[in-house]
């Protein structure tokens, strides 16, 4: 340990030696990475310090969202979106060829995809995996390949074409028509697209198409990673279906609830798996960008081989907080069109050449104007264009070009206006207006803590609103809350938002669940926090009328293209960006890079 190191720093492993100690002291490895590598080395009888470093980096990669680590490029890709920026050029990186050979020569690493299981790590095409994540990635790859090779679902081509003609008469809806056709003809479909491109409309049309096909009605399930996203999916799809069709679609749920998560059964243990498949014929999953590799593997394990699976989402948004970026991998994987699918698509008068069942909607129907222009600039990685859009004075955008105290003044006006309207509706007992008011304005931050984080902004918001609550009376009309744990008995899930409202029965907390608001006594809620400010990750899957985006300094590695794009596209009418021009440039020019083999091996 260097002399200047703090012996009380919990990130340091005082007993570590060799490369593990050096990389730990430099801030590349956390204590958990080092302890795991040392323990695996002792259990497996591995003493080579370069191999133990590789183990620690593989553990670290998963912690930062990657599925594997490329040892040959580790000195260039080691920095993650959750770490401080580090100068790693001076560290003693092993020579890649010798490092690779040392890993394969020892007892810890299996060599290649065909090697039998039994070792804790595996090297495939130069990428080092923890065995668990290799198995999950392989399960996803093989499941998708087998479903693509299977006979297409039963369908009536003439009825499909007639239905497509009725549902998609507009020539501009050609991609939507193509997506519905692919989902009718293929076991797995990826429906990709940004905000306003008609993904939900396409899903509703697809369900109508399938429900109107000759033969027994398919059993249909709707799901999303979070309770908030599931409620939005339920509401959006239901309003586009006829009453008769609405009754034949199961209420949207979280993926955990769909799969039958068993409390106390351990991580990733569900009631539905390959031995007890889900009973549905069609499963639609929204906000798939938020689905981790582990959850996708569990889902594919549980979906019947003859069922249709439709994965919906925006691959340019933030990926799951856990390891993997499955939607991005599927949307960007190279491959070849399927001749049988092309033949059927041609008969339905839609474009051919679909690869891996991926259809990207590119015509914007709803999301337009300056916000859309800003989002496209961020998406394209064009920082100067994004700044030009922010600076031109469009009424839908505001840019402070400042991260000091004065930068919060515009946000304060929005927060106070939204908070007062919310409180007025809550005191008047207007449940619907109060619930609708929850989405009037939201502050979105990259950080949880610190001067640019949710905790600081929550304190500011509470001070601005001066709600008058106290330790003895923590609830008041207009208090807006975010649920932070799943409560399956109540039907409330992590990410759900509610507001306290005066009712004839006393103060109740109202939640929108895709239908009429449901009311709960405040004492019924266990884990809640304030909702006026939240992380961008928390806000994913939601839409707000007005959004304030708080950018940290340009040096923050949390500041990425995907984070800024996701934050900006949460707004329907207005976006305020609080931060400097350097922060905007850093975000736009720093895409998240998650290591994975799925994209490159999907066609193998």
């Amino acid at each position: 340990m260097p002399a200047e190191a703090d012996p009380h720093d919990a990130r340091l492993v005082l007993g570590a030696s060799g490369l593990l100690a050096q990389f730990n002291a430099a801030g590349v490895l956390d204590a958990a990475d080092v302890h795991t590598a040392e323990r695996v080395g002792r259990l497996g009888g591995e003493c080579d310090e370069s191999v133990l470093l590789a183990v620690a980096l593989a553990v670290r990669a998963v912690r930062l969202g990657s599925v594997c680590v490329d040892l040959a490029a580790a000195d260039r890709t080691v920095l993650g979106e959750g770490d401080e920026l580090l100068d790693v050029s001076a560290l003693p990186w092993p020579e890649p060829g010798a490092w690779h050979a040392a890993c394969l020569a020892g007892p810890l690493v299996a060599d290649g995809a065909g090697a039998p299981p039994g070792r804790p790590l595996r090297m495939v095409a130069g990428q080092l995996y923890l065995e668990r994540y290799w198995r999950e990635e392989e399960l996803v790859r093989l499941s998708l390949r087998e479903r693509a090779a299977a006979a297409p679902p039963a369908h009536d081509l003439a009825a499909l074409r007639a239905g497509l003609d009725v549902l998609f008469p507009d020539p501009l809806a050609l991609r939507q028509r193509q997506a519905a056709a692919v989902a009718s003809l293929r076991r797995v479909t990826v429906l990709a697209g940004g905000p306003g491109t008609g993904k939900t409309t396409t899903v509703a049309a697809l369900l109508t198409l399938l429900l109107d096909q000759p033969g027994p009605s398919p059993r249909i399930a709707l799901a999303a990673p979070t309770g908030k996203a599931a409620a939005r999916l339920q509401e959006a799809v239901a309003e586009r279906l006829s009453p008769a069709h609405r009754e034949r679609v199961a209420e949207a749920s979280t993926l955990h609830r769909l799969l039958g998560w068993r409390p106390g059964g351990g991580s990733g243990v569900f009631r539905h798996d390959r031995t007890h498949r889900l009973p549905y014929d069609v499963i639609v999953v929204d906000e798939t960008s938020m689905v981790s590799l582990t959850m996708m593997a569990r889902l594919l394990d549980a979906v019947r081989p003859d069922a249709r699976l439709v994965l919906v989402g925006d691959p340019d948004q933030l990926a799951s907080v856990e390891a993997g970026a499955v939607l991005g991998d599927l949307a960007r994987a190279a491959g070849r069109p399927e001749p049988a699918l092309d033949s059927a698509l041609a008969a339905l008068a839609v474009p051919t050449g679909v690869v891996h069942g991926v259809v990207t909607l590119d015509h914007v129907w709803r999301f337009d104007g300056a916000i859309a222009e800003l989002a496209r600039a961020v998406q394209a990685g064009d920082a100067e264009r994004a700044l030009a859009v922010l600076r031109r004075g469009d009424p839908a955008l505001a840019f402070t070009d400042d991260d000091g105290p004065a930068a919060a003044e515009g946000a304060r006006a929005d927060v106070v206006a939204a908070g007062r309207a919310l409180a007025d509706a809550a005191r008047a007992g207007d449940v619907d207006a109060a619930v609708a008011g929850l989405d009037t304005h939201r502050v979105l931050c990259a950080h949880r803590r610190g001067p640019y984080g949710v905790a600081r902004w929550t304190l500011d918001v509470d001070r601005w609103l001066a709600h008058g609550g106290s330790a003895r009376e923590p609830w008041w009309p207009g208090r807006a809350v975010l649920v932070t744990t799943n409560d399956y008995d109540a039907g409330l899930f992590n990410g759900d938002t509610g507001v306290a409202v005066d009712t004839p029965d006393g103060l109740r907390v109202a939640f929108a669940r895709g239908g009429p608001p449901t009311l709960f006594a405040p004492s019924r809620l266990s884990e809640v926090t304030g909702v006026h400010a939240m992380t961008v990750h928390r806000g994913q899957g939601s839409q707000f009328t007005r959004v304030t985006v708080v950018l940290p300094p340009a040096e923050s590695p949390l500041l990425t293209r995907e984070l800024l794009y996701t934050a900006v596209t949460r707004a329907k009418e207005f976006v305020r960006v609080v931060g400097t021009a350097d922060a905007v440039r850093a975000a736009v020019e720093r895409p998240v890079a998650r290591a994975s083999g799925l994209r490159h091996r999907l066609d193998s």
Side-chain angles (χ1 to χ4, degrees), residues 525-596:
L525 307 180
S526 53
E527 300 292 335
V528 296
T529 188
V531 77
H532 290 290
M534 60 171 51
T535 62
V536 179
H537 267 290
R538 281 276 193 190
Q540 196 166 351
S542 299
Q543 289 275 286
F544 311 103
T545 306
R546 299 170 71 88
V547 165
T548 294
V549 181
V550 180
L551 299 183
E555 297 77 33
S556 170
L558 288 181
L559 198 53
T560 64
R561 181 182 303 167
E562 289 78 3
L563 180 131
L564 181 56
Y565 172 81
T566 302
V568 165
T569 55
R570 298 310 89 206
K572 297 177 184 177
E573 298 179 4
F574 178 84
V575 173
R576 172 180 287 101
V577 176
V578 176
T580 64
D582 286 343
V584 173
R585 288 191 187 94
V588 175
E589 294 172 355
R590 187 187 295 151
V592 172
R594 290 196 170 190
S596 156

Side-chain angles (χ1 to χ4, degrees), residues 39-319:
R39 181 65 171 166
V40 170
R42 284 196 298 271
L43 291 174
E46 177 61 78
C47 300
D48 189 316
E49 61 179 309
S50 71
V51 177
L52 297 182
L53 174 62
V55 174
L57 289 174
V59 174
R60 179 184 189 277
V62 170
R63 180 167 55 79
L64 296 182
S66 290
V67 177
C68 54
V69 60
D70 183 350
L71 297 183
D75 60 337
R76 301 187 298 278
T77 60
V78 70
L79 295 180
E81 56 189 279
D83 293 316
E84 297 178 5
L85 293 179
L86 305 167
D87 180 8
V88 299
S89 58
L91 288 172
W93 293 95
E95 191 279 321
W99 199 6
H100 186 278
C103 288
L104 295 181
L108 298 183
V109 182
D111 184 8
R119 299 192 180 194
L121 293 97
R122 182 178 296 263
M123 187 84 73
V124 180
Q127 293 178 311
L128 184 65
Y129 292 80
L130 298 179
E131 179 71 7
R132 167 191 163 181
Y133 291 93
W134 157 257
R135 289 291 165 193
E136 289 176 348
E137 185 176 282
E138 189 72 347
L139 187 156
V140 170
R141 184 185 72 85
L142 292 175
S143 177
L144 292 172
R145 188 180 71 177
E146 290 165 2
R147 292 168 194 270
H155 60 273
D156 183 320
L157 209 58
L160 278 179
R161 176 154 186 171
L164 290 169
D165 290 341
V166 171
L167 293 165
F168 301 105
D170 192 330
L172 293 176
L174 187 59
R175 284 292 176 193
Q176 292 176 288
R177 178 185 177 107
Q178 182 190 41
V182 171
S184 302
L185 299 167
R186 206 174 184 274
R187 302 290 180 187
V188 179
T189 304
V190 177
L191 178 57
T197 53
K199 296 189 296 293
T200 305
T201 300
T202 305
V203 168
L206 165 65
L207 299 183
T208 298
L209 197 65
L210 297 178
L211 288 166
D212 286 343
Q213 279 277 289
S217 288
R219 291 163 293 182
I220 298 171
L222 305 176
T226 67
K228 180 71 172 178
R232 288 187 67 246
L233 175 64
Q234 172 72 27
E235 183 176 11
V237 170
E239 71 181 17
R240 290 170 171 83
L241 293 175
S242 69
H245 287 154
R246 202 176 302 147
E247 293 175 358
R248 294 153 74 180
V249 178
E251 183 179 352
S253 71
T254 63
L255 282 171
H256 279 78
R257 192 170 194 179
L258 177 73
L259 295 177
W261 180 70
R262 296 184 294 189
S267 176
V269 177
F270 297 97
R271 187 163 57 90
H272 291 288
D273 55 22
R274 67 179 54 202
T275 65
H276 183 207
R277 306 273 192 177
L278 289 163
Y280 300 103
D281 304 300
V282 181
I283 298 173
V284 177
V285 180
D286 198 14
E287 298 292 349
T288 309
S289 64
M290 300 165 67
V291 178
S292 67
L293 175 67
T294 298
M295 180 56 78
M296 184 60 71
R298 299 293 180 268
L299 176 65
L300 288 169
D301 229 11
V303 175
R304 296 199 331 262
D306 61 340
R308 291 179 176 91
L309 178 63
V310 182
L311 304 174
V312 185
D314 185 347
D316 291 313
Q317 286 189 17
L318 285 167

Side-chain angles (χ1 to χ4, degrees), residues 318-342:
L318 285 167
S320 164
V321 294
E322 299 178 43
V326 179
L327 181 68
D329 285 341
L330 298 182
R332 300 183 179 103
R336 298 177 295 275
E338 303 162 20
L341 178 63
D342 271 358

